[in-house]
Each structure stands twice: as C-alpha cells, then as structure tokens.
Amino acid sequence: MSVLSSYRRLFALTGPLYVVVAFVARLPMAMSQMGILLLVAEVSGSYGGGGAAAGAFAVVNALASPLAGALTDRIGQRPVLLVQSVGGALALLALVVLSGQDVPWQLLAVVSGVAGVFVPQVGTLARVRWRELTRAKGGQGFKLLSTAFSYEGAADEASFVLGPAIVGTTAAVVSPAGALLLAAGGLAVFATWFALHPTVALVRGHRGVRDGAGGRVGPLLLGLAAGQLLVGAIFGSVQAGTTALATVAGEPGLAGLLHAVLGIGSVVAGLAIVVLPERFRLADRLPVFAGGLAVLTVPLLAVHSLGTLAAVLLVLGLAVAPYMITIFSACERVVDPSRLGAAMMVLAAATSLGYALGSSTAGRLADVGSYPFAYRVTIAAGTAALLLSLVLRTALHRRRRRMGEKS
C-alpha cells in the first residue's frame, strides 16, 4: 500500500477537519517557549532572564504533563483539556500584560511556570484518540494505528519547526508580545475546539485500572522514557552546538533555521515509515533506528561550515522521527489502555527534560571548547540510545512471547 493511500484511509476515520484542528492546536506549545524567551529577554534586557523564564515553562510543563495525562485517563480528556486551554491562554495573556509593567523578570518567570502547568500536550493526547479510532478495524487496526503514530510523529516535528518560525516572524513584524498573544489565541480557539471535537467521546475515563496489562510494564515504560530522554538530549545539544557554530561563522540569526533542517528530515522520514512491513516488528526496528542516530551523529565532529552542517542535520533527521515513532508505538503496545494517557505524557515529559539537559550540558561545553565540544554530547546521546535499544529489544521480544502479541 502506498504512503498516500495509507494516510487517506487513516484520515477517512475522522475527516480532514479534525486533522487540521489537532495540528493547529499543538502549535501553541511549540510557540510558547520561544515566545516567552523573546518577550522576557526584551523587557528585562537579559537573555539570562529570558532563558530562565522559558526554562521554567519547559520544566514545569514536563513535570505537570504526566499528572494531566493520568487525570485524562481517570475522568476523560474533555474536562482536562478545557481547563488547560483556558488556563494556558489566561496565563500567557497575564504574562504579556505583566511584561508591560515595571516588574522584575523573576515574577515573569513564575508566571511562565504557571503557564507551563496548563499548556496541553495535544499531540500526545491525539495519539490516545487514534488508538480508540482504529480499534474497531480488526486486522487492519494495527496497520492503521502504525500509520497514525507515524503521522503524529511527523506532525509533532512539523509543529516544532513551524511554531518557532511563526514566533520569529511575528516578533520581527509586530513584537514578541504579539507572538505570545497569537499563541494564547491559538490555545483558546483550537485547543478548546480539540477538547470539544466528537472524537473526545471515544476516550472515556477509567475509574479503575484493568488487570492483564501484560506483566512488568513499569520498568519497560521507564526504559522507553529513557530512550525519549536521550533523543531530547540530541535535540538540545544540536541546538546548542548549532548556535555556537552559527555565532562563530558570524551568522547567529541562522541558528534557528539550521535547527529546523533537522526537523525537515525528520518529518519526511516520519511520514514515509508507514511503508515498512508489519513483520518488521517494533522491537527490531528500535535498534535499527537507534543505530541510525548513533552513526549519523558522528559526522558532526567533522562539520566546520554552515553549509556542511545543514547537510548533516538533514540526513540525521531521517533517523529521528522513526526512532521516536517506534518508542511511542511500543508504549501503546505494552501499557494498559486505562493508563495510556499518563504513559504517553511520561514519554513527552522525558523528551522535554532531555532537551533541557542536552542544551544546558552542551552549552556549557561550548563555552569551554566551542561547537565541537557541544556536538560530543549529541554523539554520546546517540551512542547511549543504541545501547539502550539493544536492552529494550530483548525486553520487548520477551514480553511479546509471554503475551502472544504481535508487536
């Protein structure tokens, strides 16, 4: 089956409107962190203040998201999303209003953290809905769900390319405050729309947790989360190294565009992964794609120009989305449906924490030895992902044999 026909069959389950709404609803998450950084840096005159405020948003969101996911498992997505959409929009609006007053940046960082509590991880919740949408399709359900997870992985990557681009353009044409207001408006309209869409009725709350989830899922979920933490570290260290190289080259403004090249390659590969045969099981895919990460990060040590860096990042991106899609797909196979929302949020939170860890570590190393030192963090994370994937492959195969599942 061709790539296009696979996606046509998938989108026929919901109609194109849902796909558009779910994609646009995730953009405020991708826009908020950079928007906060630019706004607080502008009004405080300190990039350190802007970075602290953006970091507060990211860290608090990473810690709060699993709790929100667990709540959606218990009472359903609609009430949680409605509170998050309204609360997140109001928090971002409050940040813009306070930024126009004579307040210390530390207060703006606290409000940014409050926004992090509320801004929802729409892409993660959309994955949970796709599981329910494909369940009634019998033998075709596995293929459709694999297609759905491929799309969601690519959509997340595309949002984290498009979101910062929208913020940068709006900040340049209007102001950083205007960019953050746009993110708040997107939350209020599209995240609320996503919360009210009829597909939300498919994801009902589970007052109790069913048995039979498949044995010792806890350690396996932690292993999958560690895999996501490592890919987050790759993202963060690449951004730090790319910023350092662009600055050395006298083109610091190109850092964001170069980092987006990584996302472009990832989107392409994520959309194309649906052509892989079902007999190529998730457990076997993981070390293949992790091996791609490990191998394709090594050329970063030989990069000394922006043109070469763009080519290396484009190729590296081809391994990123398939790796992440495989981890999220494996999570869906091993976690009880009554806990799936929380489990998916754990993976998303691990990615964010890995990003912060990779960015901060690589940034400090870049201060010592410039961009080559930063990229060593990227290579170390890729190598660790490969080693971890070999352990996870064994665990996933063992679980499949025990449960008699196709995964």
Side-chain angles (χ1 to χ4, degrees):
M1 184 180 295
S2 69
V3 173
L4 289 179
S5 61
S6 295
Y7 286 111
R8 276 198 298 266
R9 291 184 66 242
L10 177 69
F11 297 155
L13 297 178
T14 62
L17 181 60
Y18 168 79
V19 177
V20 173
V21 169
F23 178 76
V24 179
R26 78 190 70 198
L27 287 176
M29 168 60 73
M31 297 169 64
S32 294
Q33 189 167 348
M34 177 171 282
I36 289 170
L37 189 153
L38 294 177
L39 176 65
V40 177
E42 180 186 64
V43 300
S44 68
S46 167
Y47 282 108
F57 173 87
V59 171
V60 172
N61 186 265
L63 296 176
S65 291
L67 299 178
L71 198 55
T72 64
D73 289 335
R74 183 167 179 78
I75 65 175
Q77 289 188 6
R78 177 174 290 161
V80 178
L81 274 168
L82 287 175
V83 171
Q84 287 184 307
S85 302
V86 175
L90 290 176
L92 293 178
L93 179 60
L95 185 61
V96 172
V97 172
L98 286 173
S99 70
Q101 312 300 314
D102 188 17
V103 298
W105 68 260
Q106 290 87 347
L107 177 59
L108 299 180
V110 170
V111 178
S112 298
V114 173
V117 172
F118 289 102
V119 177
Q121 297 268 3
V122 171
T124 305
L125 296 176
R127 288 178 173 88
V128 179
R129 292 193 194 184
W130 283 120
R131 185 188 190 280
E132 300 303 319
L133 284 162
T134 58
R135 283 181 67 186
K137 295 301 178 180
Q140 295 297 315
F142 178 78
K143 181 64 176 177
L144 283 170
L145 187 60
S146 297
T147 303
F149 275 48
S150 297
Y151 165 73
E152 289 297 334
D156 281 346
E157 289 293 312
S159 72
F160 280 99
V161 172
L162 184 59
I166 294 173
V167 169
T169 302
T170 306
V173 175
V174 183
S175 67
L180 214 52
L181 286 175
L182 186 61
L187 267 181
V189 175
F190 287 95
T192 301
W193 194 346
F194 179 73
L196 297 175
H197 192 275
T199 56
V200 78
L202 297 171
V203 189
R204 299 193 179 108
H206 301 266
R207 296 295 174 179
V209 178
R210 294 197 308 270
D211 293 329
R216 299 179 62 198
V217 171
L220 188 50
L221 176 59
L222 290 177
L224 295 172
Q228 281 299 113
L229 184 139
L230 290 170
V231 82
I234 289 175
F235 288 145
S237 58
V238 163
Q239 185 174 62
T242 298
T243 301
L245 176 55
T247 301
V248 169
E251 299 286 351
L254 293 180
L257 181 61
L258 286 165
H259 190 64
V261 171
L262 178 69
I264 293 171
S266 189
V267 169
V268 171
L271 291 173
I273 196 176
V274 296
V275 302
L276 294 177
E278 292 182 29
R279 63 179 179 274
F280 186 18
R281 294 192 173 101
L282 297 174
D284 297 320
R285 293 180 188 185
L286 192 58
V288 171
F289 298 136
L293 289 176
V295 171
L296 296 176
T297 54
V298 174
L300 288 169
L301 289 179
V303 166
H304 300 292
S305 69
L306 299 183
T308 305
L309 175 63
V312 170
L313 292 180
L314 182 65
V315 176
L316 174 59
L318 298 177
V320 170
Y323 173 84
M324 295 178 64
I325 290 166
T326 302
I327 286 186
F328 274 97
S329 299
C331 177
E332 184 277 330
R333 301 296 291 176
V334 304
V335 173
D336 186 278
S338 64
R339 292 173 172 165
L340 188 57
M344 291 287 185
M345 289 296 186
V346 167
L347 298 188
T351 310
S352 298
L353 292 175
Y355 185 96
L357 179 64
S359 178
S360 60
T361 303
R364 287 193 293 269
L365 290 176
D367 289 337
V368 174
S370 193
Y371 60 89
F373 279 56
Y375 287 141
R376 291 180 184 180
V377 177
T378 312
I379 295 169
T383 303
L386 174 58
L387 296 175
L388 175 63
S389 72
L390 297 175
V391 177
L392 290 175
R393 178 183 182 275
T394 301
L396 289 169
H397 273 307
R398 185 184 300 119
R399 183 188 183 281
R400 180 181 61 83
R401 288 192 296 268
R402 183 172 64 245
M403 301 304 297
E405 294 178 352
K406 178 169 69 173
S407 62

